[in-house]
DNA sequence: CGCCTTTTTGATAGCCGTCAAATTTCGTGG
DNA sequence: CCACGAAATTTGACGGCTATCAAAAAGGCG
């Protein structure tokens, strides 16, 4: 059915399907630590990427769980909704990060995942991932590490929500963003936030006005400059001091 | 070397080592959903239980990760320490629950685990668990569910810490305790808390005085009675209303 | 260019943290 | 078994941080 030029001879099928092998995120994402052959195997079960435009949903609370998603490009948030309409943002997700881990427990997604800018994700059917991880121990182990890392991250946020005040929370948040941008090759001191003050506030357990005031305070102290969503970190060290010496939120 | 009566012929070795097969927690713990043969296999890798007396440490932050622990009896807390001495309790752990999941990510424990009463745990060497889970798909899947459930639980606590006020947090906490006691066959409306007001406060992001006041308030409203660590829930429905209609913390 | 959303900033109120002291409970040793 | 001291709990008074309400300014999208 496919035209001649797409036959296996001329075109690597694995690359059509997912191209883990050639993906620039190979060192950030699920394939970390796998050899070429193993990456190939993994790539074969991953469904071609799916696009979500800004504001669109990757999945909604209650939807049947079938696949994990790896962020290929873009930026997403996950949030749990309360009956009274309030939402709590549980995370922001950048390239190479895995979404949907919460859904394994009940076979249903327990949160909404919304794209904050046009995004692409790779779809990883979970049952297939479990299948092949039986034959690739390093993949299984790495997957366990990813889940564990999510737990550690959540504990860090619990610490933040349970014991920091507004300015410390924001400093912690900015340092976290900074580090994650830097890992991906972007500037860790000059970046654009994709989320609103309200979303930051929801994530940090603060009201949007409080977030705004905390931004202004950090700017008055000449630690950062803020112009709407554009943030420049002028003094990383002092930002770390503002955060307090509490355990780093990963 | 062993006296005759301990030879394999007279005594089931698997039972000496761990007795998953005969453990009363089989339906709460890691073996959920396994058949007899699989439980036997699992039981063979589990190291004989270890006792921790009240106040003792199961593990400390920074300790090398080698095994997960299943609570056999007793009650423990996990907490992360900040440099300035403050501690944030990240969880309370009852029989059948698994500890150490956070340590997989870095091969080091990221929190302290302390027994709040004399406790026993089964030690599950993690590398062996991964080995046998390759041959027992249902064990692997169940393990993934357990990790995922921990993530969902943490998200629930983030919601609590980020958006509830003191009385709602305490109500939520009491309902959670109630449910977990009930699952284990104890009364869900009449129980003794094992932790101090300070530990509850740390878990809920409140100061101990605030926890005490919230207890008093619930008692004034005739929703519960409190005598020190002894709690009776007089009106479950009204306690649920106090919590607000927010998503349940698991 | 104009409308709507987002952000900023101010004023005020309320919840919770802090400090303090009294009371009860618990653990240890006599 | 009782007594003593340390730890935990309760309760009050007060202050500070953040939420709330409000309005103006800035930015984004059609």
């Amino acid at each position: 059915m496919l035209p001649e030029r797409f036959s296996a001879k001329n075109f690597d099928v694995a690359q059509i399907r997912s191209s883990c092998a050639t993906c620039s995120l190979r060192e950030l994402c699920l394939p970390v630590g796998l050899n070429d052959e193993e990456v190939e195997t993994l790539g074969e079960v991953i469904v071609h990427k799916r696009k979500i435009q800004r504001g669109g949903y990757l999945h909604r609370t209650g939807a049947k769980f079938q696949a994990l998603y790896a962020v290929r490009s873009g930026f997403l948030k996950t949030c749990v909704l309360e009956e009274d309409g309030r939402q709590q943002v549980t995370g922001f997700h950048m390239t190479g990060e895995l979404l949907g881990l919460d859904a394994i427990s009940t076979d249903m997604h327990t949160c909404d995942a919304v794209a904050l800018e046009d995004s692409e994700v790779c779809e990883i059917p979970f049952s297939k991932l479990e299948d092949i991880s039986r034959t690739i121990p390093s993949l299984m182990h790495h997957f366990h590490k990813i889940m564990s890392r999510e737990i550690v991250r959540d504990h860090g946020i619990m610490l933040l929500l349970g014991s920091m005040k507004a300015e410390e929370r924001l400093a912690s948040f900015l340092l976290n963003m900074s580090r994650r941008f830097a890992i991906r090759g972007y500037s860790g001191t000059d970046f654009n936030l994709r989320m609103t003050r309200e979303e930051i506030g929801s994530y940090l357990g603060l009201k949007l006005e409080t977030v705004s005031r905390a931004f202004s305070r950090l700017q008055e102290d000449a630690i950062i400059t803020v112009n709407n969503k554009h943030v420049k970190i002028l003094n990383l060290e002092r930002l770390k001091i503002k955060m307090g010496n509490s355990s780093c939120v990963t």
Side-chain angles (χ1 to χ4, degrees), chain A:
Chain A
M1 293 306 249
L2 287 171
E4 183 64 24
R5 68 180 181 285
F6 284 108
S7 71
K9 209 163 188 180
N10 297 325
F11 206 99
D12 184 346
V13 173
Q15 287 199 19
I16 295 180
R17 301 194 58 188
S18 79
S19 40
C20 274
T22 59
C23 179
S24 62
L25 301 173
R26 184 169 161 177
E27 289 310 313
L28 270 178
C29 191
L30 205 51
V32 169
L34 303 190
N35 66 35
D36 290 350
E37 189 190 342
E38 291 165 344
V39 171
E40 198 72 22
T41 307
L42 175 60
E44 279 167 19
V45 308
I46 293 184
V47 176
H48 198 288
K49 2 181 231 258
R50 178 173 143 195
K51 289 182 200 296
I52 307 107
Q53 59 184 354
R54 181 178 168 181
Y57 284 79
L58 173 58
H59 59 72
R60 288 174 192 264
T61 303
K64 176 151 178 54
F65 170 60
Q66 280 161 332
L68 299 175
Y69 302 99
V71 181
R72 184 66 190 264
S73 66
F75 199 94
L76 299 95
K77 71 170 177 182
T78 44
C79 52
V80 295
L81 289 175
E82 302 184 61
E83 283 73 4
D84 54 18
R86 283 180 302 178
Q87 66 170 32
Q88 167 86 15
V89 173
T90 55
F92 298 109
H93 308 277
M94 301 171 60
T95 51
E97 295 175 346
L98 225 52
L99 280 87
L101 297 175
D102 56 279
I104 299 169
S105 67
T106 57
D107 277 328
M108 277 178 32
H109 288 280
T110 63
C111 61
D112 290 343
V114 181
L116 296 182
E117 61 182 37
D118 292 355
S119 303
E120 290 178 311
V121 299
C122 295
E123 201 173 305
I124 308 163
F126 186 61
S127 58
K128 289 185 182 170
L129 178 64
E130 284 191 328
D131 286 346
I132 64 169
S133 72
R134 291 176 59 198
T135 61
I136 311 178
S138 58
L139 175 61
M140 178 168 73
H141 189 63
H142 184 60
F143 177 63
H144 292 160
K145 285 198 170 198
I146 288 174
M147 293 205 88
S148 176
R149 198 188 306 152
E150 174 70 17
I151 291 170
V152 174
R153 186 186 77 86
D154 291 345
H155 288 174
I157 297 169
M158 287 163 58
L159 184 66
L160 176 147
L161 292 170
S163 67
M164 291 187 185
K165 44 188 66 170
E167 215 170 315
E168 296 170 334
R169 294 185 199 192
L170 185 62
S172 181
F173 170 76
L174 289 174
L175 287 166
N176 176 254
M177 284 293 143
S178 166
R179 201 163 46 72
R180 286 158 74 191
F181 280 124
I183 288 171
R184 285 161 180 79
Y186 301 106
S187 170
T189 54
D190 188 327
F191 47 81
N192 283 291
L193 297 171
R194 270 73 171 181
M195 69 293 282
T196 66
R197 298 287 186 267
E198 186 169 16
E199 287 162 336
I200 296 173
S202 173
Y203 183 63
L204 298 179
L206 302 168
K207 291 295 158 188
L208 67 94
E209 297 94 330
T210 306
V211 174
S212 179
R213 275 184 247 271
F215 266 120
S216 301
R217 199 108 54 86
L218 289 177
Q219 184 165 233
E220 282 167 26
D221 293 352
I223 295 174
I224 64 172
T225 61
V226 205
N227 279 86
N228 221 328
K229 293 195 160 60
H230 183 94
V231 174
K232 271 190 202 172
I233 298 177
L234 304 176
N235 193 326
L236 264 174
E237 285 312 311
R238 288 180 59 206
L239 194 56
K240 285 177 186 166
I241 291 166
K242 279 283 177 187
M243 185 183 67
N245 291 330
S246 44
S247 311
C248 187
V249 174
T250 350

